[in-house]
């Protein structure tokens, strides 16, 4: 029999299996590993899903004209003038990211750390992956000087980096890159002829838009930026798998869009008809949708800031979260104290948090970070409780004072204190 070589299991799958085993054994866990938005479904969206149930015929792979027009309007209202023929919809943003990895030649440049599906997708597409450290002030983007150095070193070694992924706001650090940094990176991308893939699925979860300016690279380098987004984070529709992409105008954008549609066609990847009905309604942004997005951003911000305070009080260095629902603590300042307790890297750090305190986090090395670092990602949106509690949290003036959220925050504080020997 011919030997078959298969890829190793994904970190997501392995961690989920571990969590399932621990729960089956009766363990009480605070799950902070993955970025599910944990919001109740808006009744109006559920009604649209039901209304679209009869849309059972095959449709255009890129999506019906009506839904693409709604998505184009969404982008246009965000300073990105867009025509419907520049838009594609799909069953989630991740298949779009995978398709772009397949159709764009050359290797991949990633911020380090970065969400852990980017690199495996690139490797499935036959690309080399080059991680570039993020700057001190934010994640989601590489530090420009480090990017330039990585580019030149990779090319000297015979690699061909052509695609740069940015995440705005960032998963895993929960931060938003400032406009000046975006401009510098866009200038570098032009000088080095890089295509930018801007994953903006968290764009509508900037906690305080009045104090956190947002600049998409598609505003600065529109000719070389593809934007992806979706409804899983802003409206909590992760299980419905609704993703969108915006391609540049001009010949480059046309070639990219056509190639991406062709790849999707070959694997029969198109957004289901009922979901297109939902997307058309949601991207038109009626009042209840915009109100839900504002309420969710307030909730995400309040709880993320509370977890950030807890981490800092425990001795972590941690960037203040300004978007999304993540924090990324670094316990490097406590390295000697942790080493005395057998905690010397991100894997042992995450394992100790789970074993001693039932805190499930995603270790930094699983996100491309230095394995010797003492960093992890915590997804704060998983603290909102069941559906009834989620509604309560969305309407609360201070959701961190709700008993169910306060209890989880207390467990996190106790777990970090136990980790560092303060408890």
């Amino acid at each position: 029999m011919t030997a078959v070589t298969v890829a190793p299991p994904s970190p997501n799958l392995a961690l989920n299996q571990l969590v399932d085993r621990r729960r089956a054994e009766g363990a009480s866990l605070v799950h902070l590993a993955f970025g599910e938005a944990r919001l109740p479904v808006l009744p109006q969206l559920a009604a649209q899903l039901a209304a679209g149930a009869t849309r059972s015929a095959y449709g255009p792979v890129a999506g019906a004209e009506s839904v693409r027009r709604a998505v184009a309007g969404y982008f246009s209202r965000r300073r990105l003038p867009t025509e419907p023929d520049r838009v594609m919809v799909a069953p989630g943003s991740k298949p779009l990211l995978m398709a772009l990895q397949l159709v764009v030649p050359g290797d991949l440049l990633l911020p380090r750390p970065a969400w852990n599906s980017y690199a495996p997708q690139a490797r499935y597409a036959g690309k080399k992956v080059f991680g570039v450290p993020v700057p001190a002030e934010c994640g989601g983007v590489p530090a420009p000087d480090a990017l330039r150095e990585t580019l030149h070193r990779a090319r000297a070694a015979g690699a061909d980096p052509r695609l740069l992924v940015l995440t705005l706001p960032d998963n895993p650090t929960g931060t938003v890159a400032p406009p000046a940094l975006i401009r510098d990176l866009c200038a570098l991308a032009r000088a080095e002829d890089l295509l930018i893939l801007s994953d903006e699925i968290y764009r509508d979860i900037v906690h305080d838009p009045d104090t956190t300016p947002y600049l998409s690279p598609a505003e600065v380098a529109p000719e070389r930026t593809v934007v992806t987004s979706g409804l899983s984070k802003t409206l909590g529709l992760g299980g419905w798998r609704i993703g969108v992409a915006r391609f540049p105008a001009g010949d480059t954008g046309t070639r990219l869009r056509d190639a991406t549609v062709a790849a999707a066609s070959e694997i029969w990847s198109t957004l289901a008809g009922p979901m297109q009905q939902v997307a058309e309604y949601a991207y038109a942004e009626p009042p209840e949708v915009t109100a839900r997005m504002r309420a969710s951003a307030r909730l995400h911000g309040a709880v993320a800031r509370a977890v950030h305070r807890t981490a800092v009080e425990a001795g972590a260095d941690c960037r203040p979260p300004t978007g999304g629902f993540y924090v990324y603590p670094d316990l490097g300042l406590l390295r000697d104290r942790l080493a005395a307790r057998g905690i010397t890297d991100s894997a042992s750090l995450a394992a100790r948090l789970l074993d001693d305190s039932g805190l499930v986090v995603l270790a930094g090395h699983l996100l491309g970070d230095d394995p010797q670092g003492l960093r992890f990602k915590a997804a704060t949106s998983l603290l909102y409780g069941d559906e009834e509690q989620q509604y309560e949290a969305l309407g609360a003036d201070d959701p961190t004072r709700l008993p169910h959220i306060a209890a989880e925050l207390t467990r996190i504080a106790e777990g970090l204190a136990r980790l560092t020997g303060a408890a």
Side-chain angles (χ1 to χ4, degrees):
M1 179 181 291
T2 302
V4 177
T5 302
V6 297
S10 75
N12 288 1
L13 178 60
L15 186 54
N16 270 323
Q17 291 172 337
L18 175 61
V19 168
D20 288 344
R21 283 201 305 273
R22 292 296 178 90
R23 283 180 169 157
E25 294 166 357
S28 173
L29 304 177
V30 179
H31 201 331
L32 299 167
F34 302 129
E36 187 177 354
R38 286 290 171 90
L39 299 172
V41 173
L42 274 170
Q44 294 89 341
L45 297 181
Q48 290 296 318
L49 182 62
T54 58
R55 294 176 62 166
S56 59
Y58 296 152
V61 173
E65 165 75 17
S66 57
V67 68
R68 288 187 287 111
R69 188 165 54 246
V71 175
Y74 165 89
F75 283 119
S76 296
R77 290 188 292 275
R78 285 155 179 78
R79 305 188 304 273
L80 297 175
T82 306
E83 296 297 325
D85 66 356
R86 300 289 102 182
V87 169
M88 179 179 178
V89 299
S93 63
K94 299 301 185 290
L96 288 165
L97 291 162
M98 183 71 234
L100 284 159
Q101 298 276 19
L102 291 169
V103 304
V104 176
D107 298 318
L108 179 68
L109 295 153
L110 273 183
R112 192 179 74 216
W115 173 234
N116 62 0
S117 66
Y118 300 137
Q121 285 189 342
R123 294 188 181 106
Y124 277 129
K127 299 179 185 297
K128 297 177 182 176
V129 179
F130 296 91
V132 187
V134 300
E137 66 265 37
C138 65
V141 300
D145 288 345
L147 176 59
R148 189 177 293 106
E149 179 184 346
T150 300
L151 264 173
H152 296 168
R153 188 172 62 248
R155 288 169 176 163
D160 184 24
R162 296 198 200 179
L163 182 61
L164 171 63
V165 170
L166 309 179
T167 311
L168 307 167
D170 180 39
N171 171 4
T173 66
T175 58
V176 182
L181 189 52
I182 296 299
R183 292 189 182 95
D184 288 347
L185 288 167
C186 287
L188 198 158
R190 277 203 178 105
E192 301 289 352
D193 195 23
L194 301 176
L195 181 73
I196 300 170
L197 176 50
S198 186
D199 187 349
E200 301 185 12
I201 198 167
Y202 297 93
R203 174 166 185 161
D204 297 315
I205 317 177
V206 174
H207 302 160
D208 187 353
D210 293 334
T211 61
T212 307
Y214 188 98
L215 182 67
S216 170
E219 298 178 66
V220 185
E223 80 286 357
R224 63 182 60 249
T225 302
V226 177
V227 178
T228 59
S229 189
L231 299 180
S232 60
K233 310 303 180 184
T234 54
L235 294 174
L237 300 180
W240 292 18
R241 311 310 306 150
I242 297 172
V244 302
R246 176 194 184 271
F247 294 88
D251 291 343
T252 297
T254 298
R255 288 195 299 271
L256 282 170
R257 180 187 178 277
D258 289 351
T260 305
V261 171
S265 178
E266 292 300 331
I267 59 173
W268 287 71
S269 175
T270 186
L271 185 60
M275 296 308 173
Q276 293 200 39
Q277 177 107 6
V278 171
E280 181 179 340
Y281 184 86
Y283 279 107
E285 298 184 290
E288 67 275 7
V289 167
T290 56
R292 167 57 64 84
M293 288 194 294
R294 287 194 297 270
S296 68
R298 289 193 300 270
L299 170 60
H300 296 317
V303 178
R305 287 190 296 272
V307 175
H308 172 263
R309 285 193 299 271
T310 298
V312 171
E313 289 167 0
D317 183 19
C318 189
R319 298 173 180 88
T322 54
F325 33 77
Y326 305 103
V327 295
Y328 196 68
D330 182 349
L331 293 170
L333 296 173
L334 305 175
R335 181 172 292 277
D336 291 344
R337 188 190 305 178
L338 294 174
R341 307 186 71 237
I343 302 168
T344 58
D345 54 20
S346 65
S348 56
L349 173 63
R352 183 61 66 88
L353 284 169
L354 175 59
D355 292 341
D356 289 358
S357 304
L359 301 183
V360 186
V361 302
L362 200 61
H365 71 281
L366 299 177
L367 299 159
D369 209 343
D370 180 357
Q372 299 308 307
L374 294 170
R375 293 179 283 274
F376 63 86
K377 184 187 84 167
T380 60
S381 56
L382 299 181
L383 302 177
Y384 304 158
D386 59 27
E387 184 177 4
E388 182 178 348
Q389 291 170 326
Q390 292 162 22
Y391 273 114
E392 187 180 11
L394 280 167
D397 291 335
D398 184 356
T400 66
R401 292 183 178 275
L402 295 175
H404 69 281
I405 294 179
E408 298 284 70
L409 293 172
T410 297
R411 281 197 62 183
I412 295 169
E414 292 172 347
L416 292 175
R418 189 175 297 114
L419 179 79
T420 61

